C-alpha cells in the first residue's frame, strides 16, 4: 500500500462487538466505508480487549492499545500523522480531542455520536421521575458537554433523522456541522426467510448492559408478557442479549414461557425462527439495531414510539406501535395470530430496509460531505466561531486536568517505588 494512502485513526470507546450491540455493528460499517475508499484504518482504544470483539485484523485494520491521561498518546498519534481522527462518542473527544488538535492540527476531527446521549439521558431521568421530557431536561450538564464536543469537531455523524432535527432546532447546531449517517446495510434484506407457518414464539433481543434494554425486559416480565400468555398459553418469549447479569437470569421462568437465553451466537437465526419481535422501549435514543435486524429477517415487531423513532417509512411501521401494557399485549397477539397482517408487516419491513438503510443510497452523500470538509478544513473551522471559542476555553481546562492526572499518577508510581 502506498505511503500516501490516507489514514483514519478511530479512538474507540470499546472494541467493536457487532454481534453484541448495534453500536458495534455501526462502527464496523463505518470502518468498512473508509476501507472501501482505500483508506488505511487504525482502531485505538483504552478499553479492555473483550472476548466478543470483532477480529479487525481480518479486514486489514491495525489495533492499538492506548491509555487515558497519558502523553504517550500524543507522541504515537503525531508519528502516525493521520488525515482524519474519529471519536467514538463525545466522551472520547473530551479525553483525546485536545491531544489530537495539539499533535495533529491539520487532521479532520470527526465525532460519531452513536446516539444522542443527552436525549437518552433526559428520557431516562424523566421516566424515573414520571415527568414528560421538557427543555430543562434536555438542557442537562450532559447535553452541554455533548453539544460542546459537536462544535469542537469538524463534522459529527448523526444516526437518526429525529436527532438531526433536535440538534438543529433545539440546540441550534448549524447543519454544516452535522452529517446524517444511519445504519448502512450492504446486504439489505435476507432472502428465503421462513414464512408465517414455519415460525413460532416471540423474541426479544438486546445487550443487557444498555439501560433501555434492561427496562424493556422488566416491562415485559412484570406487565406485558402475563397479558400475552393469557391469550396464548402455549407461547414462549425467548430473550437474548450479551452480558446478562444475575438479576436478568433470575427472571427465567420456564413455567410461564419467559426464557432468558443470554448470548446469541447468531442473532439472524434467532430472529428468523421467531414469529414476532417484542421491543417495548420506554426510553432511549438513536436507531434500534434489533428492530432493523428484525426487518431484514422478515420478522414483524411490536414496539413503542421511541423504539420506532427515526425508522418509519411513509409514516408506517413494520408491525404495530403501541405505548401501554394492554395495547402492546394486544398488538403482539394480533400480529401473532393474523397471517395477512403479519405478511403486510413483513413486506413493509423489507421496503423500509431497502429505502432507508441501504449503503448504496447513503454512501455517496456521506463520503462527499466527509471529503468536502477535509478539503476545506481551514475555511470550515473559521466559519464555526462557536467551535473556535469552545476549543480556546474548554480544551485548556480538559488539557490541564489531563496533565494533572498524568503527573499525579507518575508521582504515585515513583512514591511506590521508594
Amino acid at each position: 500500500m502506498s505511503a500516501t494512502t490516507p489514514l483514519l485513526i478511530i479512538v474507540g470507546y470499546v472494541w467493536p462487538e457487532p454481534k453484541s450491540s448495534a453500536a458495534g455493528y455501526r462502527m464496523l460499517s463505518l470502518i468498512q466505508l473508509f476501507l472501501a475508499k482505500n483508506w488505511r484504518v487504525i482502531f485505538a482504544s483504552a478499553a479492555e480487549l473483550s472476548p466478543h470483539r470483532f477480529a479487525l485484523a481480518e479486514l486489514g485494520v491495525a489495533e492499538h492499545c492506548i491509555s487515558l491521561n497519558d502523553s504517550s498518546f500524543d507522541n504515537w498519534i503525531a508519528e502516525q500523522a493521520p488525515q482524519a481522527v474519529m471519536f467514538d462518542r463525545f466522551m472520547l473527544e473530551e479525553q483525546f480531542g485536545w491531544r489530537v488538535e495539539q499533535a495533529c492540527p491539520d487532521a479532520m476531527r470527526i465525532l460519531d455520536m452513536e446516539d444522542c446521549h443527552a436525549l437518552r439521558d433526559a428520557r431516562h431521568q424523566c421516566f424515573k421521575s414520571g415527568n414528560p421530557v421538557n427543555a430543562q431536561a434536555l438542557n442537562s450538564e450532559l447535553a452541554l458537554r455533548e453539544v460542546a464536543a459537536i462544535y469542537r469537531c469538524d463534522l459529527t455523524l448523526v444516526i437518526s433523522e429525529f436527532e438531526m432535527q433536535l440538534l438543529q432546532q433545539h440546540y441550534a447546531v448549524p447543519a454544516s456541522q452535522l452529517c446524517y449517517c444511519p445504519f448502512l446495510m450492504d446486504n439489505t434484506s435476507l432472502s428465503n426467510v421462513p414464512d408465517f407457518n414455519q415460525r413460532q414464539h416471540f423474541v426479544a433481543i438486546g445487550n443487557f448492559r444498555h439501560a433501555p434494554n434492561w427496562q424493556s425486559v422488566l416491562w415485559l416480565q412484570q406487565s406485558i408478557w402475563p397479558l400475552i400468555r393469557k391469550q396464548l398459553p402455549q407461547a414462549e418469549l425467548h430473550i437474548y442479549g450479551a452480558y446478562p447479569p444475575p438479576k436478568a437470569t433470575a427472571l427465567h421462568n420456564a413455567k410461564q414461557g419467559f426464557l432468558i437465553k443470554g448470548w446469541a451466537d447468531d442473532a439472524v437465526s434467532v430472529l428468523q425462527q421467531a414469529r414476532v419481535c417484542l421491543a417495548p422501549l420506554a426510553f432511549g435514543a438513536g436507531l434500534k439495531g434489533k428492530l432493523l435486524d428484525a426487518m431484514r429477517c422478515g420478522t414483524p415487531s411490536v414496539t413503542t414510539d421511541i423504539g420506532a423513532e427515526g425508522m418509519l417509512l411513509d409514516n408506517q411501521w413494520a408491525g404495530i406501535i403501541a405505548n401501554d401494557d394492554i395495547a402492546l399485549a394486544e398488538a403482539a397477539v394480533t400480529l401473532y395470530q393474523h397471517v395477512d397482517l403479519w405478511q403486510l408487516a413483513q413486506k413493509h419491513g423489507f421496503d423500509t430496509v431497502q429505502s432507508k438503510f441501504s449503503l448504496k443510497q447513503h454512501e455517496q452523500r456521506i463520503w462527499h460531505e466527509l471529503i468536502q470538509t477535509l478539503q476545506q478544513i481551514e475555511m470550515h473551522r473559521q466559519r464555526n466561531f462557536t467551535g473556535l471559542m469552545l476549543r480556546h476555553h474548554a480544551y485548556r481546562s480538559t488539557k490541564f486536568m489531563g496533565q494533572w492526572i498524568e503527573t499525579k499518577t507518575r508521582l504515585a508510581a515513583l512514591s511506590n517505588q521508594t
Side-chain angles (χ1 to χ4, degrees):
M1 199 173 274
S2 169
T4 59
T5 302
L7 170 65
L8 168 72
I9 291 180
I10 300 174
V11 183
Y13 183 70
V14 293
W15 299 94
E17 295 186 20
K19 291 187 176 181
S20 299
S21 69
Y25 175 85
R26 172 178 171 77
M27 178 53 69
L28 190 60
S29 69
L30 292 175
I31 290 172
Q32 291 170 327
L33 175 67
F34 277 85
L35 292 176
K37 300 298 182 180
N38 296 316
W39 280 52
R40 290 187 298 129
V41 178
I42 298 175
F43 193 95
S45 180
E48 293 184 7
L49 295 172
S50 55
H52 301 307
R53 73 185 187 280
F54 186 84
L56 292 173
E58 293 180 1
L59 299 177
V61 174
E63 297 179 350
H64 185 77
C65 294
I66 55 178
S67 300
L68 299 175
N69 304 305
D70 193 319
S71 58
S72 62
F73 175 86
D74 308 6
N75 299 327
W76 171 76
I77 201 166
E79 291 174 1
Q80 303 306 314
Q83 280 65 46
V85 176
M86 181 187 298
F87 304 105
D88 173 23
R89 302 170 176 86
F90 79 91
M91 300 83 77
L92 273 295
E93 189 279 337
E94 289 181 327
Q95 283 280 348
F96 293 97
W98 66 270
R99 293 185 181 276
V100 172
E101 182 174 28
Q102 183 173 275
C104 308
D106 296 329
M108 176 171 64
R109 296 183 291 276
I110 306 166
L111 173 61
D112 181 32
M113 295 180 73
E114 294 292 353
D115 62 21
C116 183
H117 293 70
L119 175 62
R120 172 154 47 89
D121 182 68
R123 285 173 168 169
H124 192 180
Q125 298 307 319
C126 290
F127 169 80
K128 290 190 289 187
S129 66
N131 297 319
V133 178
N134 54 29
Q136 183 177 0
L138 289 170
N139 294 344
S140 63
E141 179 182 348
L142 191 70
L144 298 177
R145 292 170 53 197
E146 186 166 29
V147 175
I150 291 172
Y151 271 107
R152 288 194 297 263
C153 287
D154 298 309
L155 198 64
T156 293
L157 306 181
V158 185
I159 198 169
S160 164
E161 292 170 318
F162 179 86
E163 291 173 12
M164 284 285 289
Q165 185 178 40
L166 177 74
L167 290 169
Q168 292 175 73
Q169 295 184 1
H170 181 80
Y171 296 114
V173 177
S176 59
Q177 295 297 120
L178 307 173
C179 174
Y180 173 52
C181 183
F183 288 126
L184 304 172
M185 309 301 297
D186 193 0
N187 54 335
T188 48
S189 297
L190 302 172
S191 59
N192 300 320
V193 297
D195 63 22
F196 179 88
N197 292 317
Q198 293 174 299
R199 300 168 180 247
Q200 61 178 343
H201 303 313
F202 295 85
V203 68
I205 190 166
N207 192 318
F208 282 97
R209 289 179 175 175
H210 194 50
N213 292 338
W214 171 237
Q215 178 57 40
S216 176
V217 171
L218 290 178
W219 194 3
L220 284 164
Q221 189 264 342
Q222 295 168 1
S223 305
I224 301 168
W225 184 245
L227 295 174
I228 295 173
R229 279 279 287 195
K230 282 183 179 180
Q231 299 185 64
L232 300 172
Q234 301 305 314
E236 296 175 358
L237 172 56
H238 299 180
I239 300 177
Y240 291 87
Y243 306 107
K247 64 181 179 180
T249 54
L251 298 179
H252 183 92
N253 188 329
K255 186 177 179 181
Q256 294 299 318
F258 194 86
L259 310 178
I260 305 295
K261 296 284 190 173
W263 170 263
D265 289 326
D266 187 349
V268 168
S269 175
V270 164
L271 285 164
Q272 283 186 327
Q273 293 170 20
R275 188 174 291 178
V276 176
C277 175
L278 301 180
L281 296 165
F283 56 89
L287 300 181
K288 315 307 178 293
K290 54 181 155 286
L291 292 174
L292 181 58
D293 284 340
M295 293 181 199
R296 293 178 61 234
C297 294
T299 309
S301 59
V302 174
T303 190
T304 58
D305 284 324
I306 285 177
E309 185 176 87
M311 302 182 74
L312 294 169
L313 175 64
D314 299 329
N315 211 30
Q316 306 255 340
W317 182 246
I320 301 176
I321 296 173
N323 293 289
D324 62 70
D325 304 348
I326 295 175
L328 284 160
E330 287 297 328
V333 172
T334 299
L335 261 183
Y336 195 85
Q337 292 183 318
H338 292 83
V339 61
D340 291 343
L341 179 62
W342 187 93
Q343 289 172 341
L344 284 173
Q346 183 187 69
K347 181 181 183 305
H348 192 74
F350 289 150
D351 292 343
T352 300
V353 175
Q354 189 65 46
S355 298
K356 291 186 70 72
F357 304 112
S358 167
L359 173 64
K360 291 181 180 179
Q361 179 187 355
H362 298 288
E363 181 180 20
Q364 185 174 351
R365 173 188 54 79
I366 293 169
W367 194 251
H368 174 75
E369 292 184 38
L370 286 166
I371 295 303
Q372 185 178 51
T373 303
L374 177 61
Q375 292 175 342
Q376 303 175 0
I377 193 72
E378 189 55 39
M379 183 187 303
H380 181 83
R381 289 173 178 173
Q382 291 303 318
R383 290 173 176 169
N384 177 20
F385 181 80
T386 302
L388 292 172
M389 178 175 62
L390 285 169
R391 290 203 304 277
H392 176 77
H393 292 287
Y395 274 163
R396 278 163 170 71
S397 62
T398 52
K399 173 181 178 180
F400 295 142
M401 175 60 75
Q403 290 176 334
W404 177 79
I405 293 173
E406 181 180 1
T407 302
K408 182 180 178 182
T409 302
R410 188 184 301 118
L411 290 174
L414 290 172
S415 176
N416 289 335
Q417 291 175 2
T418 60

